[in-house]
Amino acid sequence: MLKSIPNTFIQDFPHWRKVELFRRLLYIFLFLNTLSLLPIAKEIWSYNGIIGPRGWNFGIPTIEQGSYALINVLSHPANNTYTWVYIVFIVAQLIFLVMGIFRFLPKISSVMIYFFTVNLFLKGGQMFTGGEVLVCLLLFYLMFIQKSTSDKWKISFKISSDEKPIFTFLQNVLNNSFYWMCLIQVCLVYFFSTFYKLLDWNWLNGSAVMYVSRIDAYSSGMNRLFFADNYTLALVVTYLLLLYQALFPFVVWIKKIKKQFLIFGVIFHLGIAFGMGLFTFGIIMCLVYLLFLDVEQIDRLVDRFRRKSVKV
Amino acid sequence: MSTRNKIRIGWVAFTLVVAHFAMIVIYAFPSNYMPESFKSVSQAYVYPVFEQSWSLFAPCPLVDGHLRVKYYFENDSTDWVNPIAEAEKMHSMLRFTHHADLVLGESNLLFWVVGDLQEMGLSPYESFPADSADAFRNTESYWRLLYYLNGNADYLYYKKPIRALTECSFENVATGEKGKMILPEFNWKE
């Protein structure tokens, strides 16, 4: 048991295809998400938009602000003069996302996608959800999961099962470490989400879903119809949600019931996406579940999807 | 590289992963569950790149808020308007459009307004006392509203306002208590 711990980190990285599929789907989602926000891009991301800048501390030299300055570029007061900077960030994010989707210069594109995305998400934070926070963290971890072989000038979309990427020893250590960091990060989301809810009386007495469904910003779908005045149904759903979130960090490692458990999770998050209207959050959480599936399960899923597409 | 050294590196990687998440766990725990000294160490590591809290919908939001604005421009003014009326309508029919973000943005803003009012010892269901105006102008929600109203005037009317009045209506969805308040005037000419 103890010996398997270091081996987990130094073994040949076995999850490459899964991570690549996840990375690609995440990039496609981010690309569509940014396109969907273009009509209000100025309002969200410009210095004098609906959302104000986060502030800039001139008391500390920029170089000493370190990572804070790097991810807070759109809040620098220079944006007030150079009002086009946010447009550069949007265009650059879209370009690098396309490069990432087609695996063109994968290392550079993953770093740039992180840089531009985190700056855009941080500036527009008031309009976003925990989903965007999770994406920033995952994009950071994904920067380190790479191939050692260099086919950086080759454009390819297909992730072939015959692909045999080569990893150096150090790259294997990085890939394994950051892969596990992605998984643990998602478990932490559920752990803390449950923990904070258990400190709140309205979650404990089962009325939280009923109250949330009465708030207009979260109840424009079927939520109000089902839960606003139906305490019993709301109580059942509140406890089901609590149970699911509490069990996630443990059950998701049990092979036998993982699939059924994640299917419930997908339904739960699609409910959040369409019922509550927190679309980005719901879809991101569904995407993240890919990381918890085995490669064989993903292959079966892709096969089924392909067969259905052919039929259509 | 010898197998022994490889295993050592494996242990180092494991230790770093554990340390990374230990820092995040300390950072994300509520302050009353974690010693302040631990918190300050973890903050130095976690903030800003790994910043996270995950108190998603906890505590359960209980206040349903809406906002109306009356803008005054250089030569004219508007009636009381709901700046996200169109977004609310579209959001109820469509998902994955920018309308959702506009609706969520205002909802989050009003959440902060309620928080600041409560911190000032004021009830969101009563009218705003005139003698608290200066204190409100020092809150974060005031500054957020200042940008929000200014940005919305540009978005809706393509012009800059000189001042604006804001009416917030709040309803407690648990107790049914509700009320309206006019916030202190927002002025861009000062």
Side-chain angles (χ1 to χ4, degrees):
Chain A
M1 167 70 186
L2 211 58
K3 272 185 183 173
S4 70
I5 293 175
N7 284 335
T8 306
F9 289 88
I10 59 176
Q11 67 179 331
D12 259 347
F13 185 55
H15 309 289
W16 177 250
R17 259 193 325 127
K18 179 166 71 173
V19 172
E20 274 302 277
L21 181 66
F22 169 69
R23 191 199 309 260
R24 212 71 61 78
L25 289 174
L26 185 63
Y27 287 176
I28 291 171
F29 177 77
L30 286 175
F31 185 83
L32 296 175
N33 186 50
T34 302
L35 288 187
S36 81
L37 290 172
L38 286 183
I40 52 167
K42 187 181 165 203
E43 280 67 39
I44 308 180
W45 291 311
S46 75
Y47 192 77
N48 288 308
I50 284 175
I51 303 170
R54 290 164 51 90
W56 193 274
N57 188 351
F58 280 102
I60 307 171
T62 304
I63 195 85
E64 285 174 29
Q65 289 186 32
S67 54
Y68 185 75
L70 264 181
I71 63 174
N72 203 27
V73 178
L74 290 176
S75 284
H76 192 285
N79 288 280
N80 201 13
T81 315
Y82 305 105
T83 51
W84 42 265
V85 175
Y86 78 95
I87 300 172
V88 174
F89 271 65
I90 296 168
V91 173
Q93 190 216 25
L94 291 173
I95 290 172
F96 282 110
L97 280 171
V98 172
M99 285 169 64
I101 291 165
F102 288 100
R103 293 205 273 186
F104 183 66
L105 298 172
K107 287 178 190 166
I108 294 169
S109 63
S110 66
V111 174
M112 290 301 165
I113 287 168
Y114 172 74
F115 172 72
F116 290 113
T117 306
V118 78
N119 269 287
L120 291 169
F121 279 176
L122 213 62
K123 171 66 176 60
Q126 185 182 311
M127 289 199 175
F128 298 141
T129 62
E132 279 84 352
V133 177
L134 184 61
V135 164
C136 290
L137 295 165
L138 294 178
L139 286 177
F140 182 86
Y141 300 145
L142 286 173
M143 282 195 300
F144 298 91
I145 305 180
Q146 300 289 352
K147 270 195 291 194
S148 300
T149 42
S150 171
D151 45 10
K152 55 192 172 193
W153 299 108
K154 195 179 143 198
I155 294 174
S156 66
F157 182 72
K158 203 178 162 203
I159 308 163
S160 165
S161 52
D162 306 328
E163 190 179 321
K164 297 275 180 286
I166 296 166
F167 307 112
T168 60
F169 172 72
L170 189 65
Q171 191 60 59
N172 270 325
V173 176
L174 282 174
N175 287 356
N176 286 308
S177 303
F178 282 94
Y179 167 74
W180 282 101
M181 284 164 90
C182 288
L183 300 192
I184 298 169
Q185 181 61 62
V186 178
C187 291
L188 267 193
V189 173
Y190 284 103
F191 170 76
F192 277 110
S193 184
T194 314
F195 183 81
Y196 277 96
K197 284 183 176 74
L198 292 177
L199 298 177
D200 181 43
W201 174 241
N202 291 311
W203 279 97
L204 288 177
N205 71 15
S207 51
V209 167
M210 181 172 73
Y211 292 149
V212 169
S213 71
R214 290 179 185 173
I215 293 178
D216 289 341
Y218 310 123
S219 59
S220 47
M222 301 293 271
N223 257 19
R224 185 177 286 267
L225 187 72
F226 284 131
F227 306 117
D229 298 307
N230 192 338
Y231 177 68
T232 316
L233 188 59
L235 177 109
V236 172
V237 174
T238 304
Y239 285 143
L240 270 177
L241 295 185
L242 273 178
L243 194 68
Y244 176 77
Q245 295 195 336
L247 290 177
F248 186 94
F250 309 102
V251 174
V252 84
W253 309 108
I254 304 172
K255 260 193 168 178
K256 273 187 179 171
I257 50 172
K258 180 165 69 175
K259 198 173 118 189
Q260 291 75 5
F261 190 71
L262 290 178
I263 288 172
F264 178 83
V266 168
I267 295 167
F268 161 43
H269 284 295
L270 288 179
I272 291 177
F274 291 98
M276 290 178 71
L278 300 177
F279 192 84
T280 324
F281 179 72
I283 300 301
I284 287 168
M285 293 310 290
C286 291
L287 279 181
V288 157
Y289 285 176
L290 269 183
L291 291 171
F292 289 91
L293 292 174
D294 304 327
V295 178
E296 298 77 37
Q297 287 173 318
I298 292 176
D299 281 342
R300 276 202 296 273
L301 205 71
V302 171
D303 271 354
R304 202 172 292 178
F305 183 74
R306 270 199 197 129
R307 260 182 275 150
K308 276 198 178 159
S309 309
V310 169
K311 269 184 193 171
V312 170
Chain B
M1 192 185 289
S2 69
T3 313
R4 209 170 156 185
N5 279 344
K6 283 184 177 176
I7 287 171
R8 275 185 192 150
I9 289 173
W11 277 113
V12 170
F14 169 71
T15 312
L16 289 176
V17 171
V18 170
H20 172 77
F21 283 106
M23 287 292 186
I24 289 175
V25 167
I26 292 168
Y27 181 85
F29 254 100
S31 301
N32 47 341
Y33 285 81
M34 203 54 79
E36 195 49 46
S37 53
F38 281 40
K39 278 266 179 190
S40 55
V41 171
S42 68
Q43 174 145 3
Y45 174 77
V46 172
Y47 188 81
V49 174
F50 304 117
E51 217 223 333
Q52 51 196 297
S53 77
W54 309 122
S55 56
L56 308 167
F57 282 88
C60 173
L62 293 177
V63 181
D64 189 16
H66 294 277
L67 188 141
R68 291 199 311 154
V69 198
K70 187 173 174 63
Y71 283 113
Y72 294 88
F73 300 106
E74 204 66 56
N75 300 315
D76 57 346
S77 64
T78 66
D79 284 332
W80 285 100
V81 291
N82 171 4
I84 55 160
E86 180 66 17
E88 282 174 340
K89 200 174 124 193
M90 295 302 289
H91 180 53
S92 66
M93 295 184 287
L94 294 170
R95 299 291 188 237
F96 200 46
T97 65
H98 63 276
H99 303 104
D101 301 83
L102 287 171
V103 172
L104 191 65
E106 187 176 292
S107 171
N108 285 338
L109 179 65
L110 290 171
F111 178 79
W112 282 309
V113 172
V114 171
D116 281 339
L117 289 173
Q118 286 170 341
E119 216 161 89
M120 290 166 63
L122 303 175
S123 163
Y125 314 111
E126 291 167 10
S127 54
F128 193 93
D131 59 355
S132 298
D134 284 342
F136 182 68
R137 288 197 175 99
N138 286 322
T139 61
E140 181 164 353
S141 56
Y142 173 80
W143 288 100
R144 285 183 185 268
L145 271 164
L146 204 64
Y147 275 99
Y148 185 74
L149 299 174
N150 186 48
N152 259 314
D154 191 37
Y155 179 54
L156 297 170
Y157 305 106
Y158 307 106
K159 49 188 174 183
K160 294 282 170 197
I162 50 171
R163 60 194 186 94
L165 289 174
T166 312
E167 181 197 73
C168 295
S169 51
F170 295 113
E171 181 185 356
N172 187 313
V173 293
T175 62
E177 192 180 3
K178 57 170 112 173
K180 286 180 182 178
M181 66 161 59
I182 307 267
L183 294 175
E185 186 181 271
F186 292 85
N187 200 319
W188 288 272
K189 273 258 159 153
E190 280 170 1

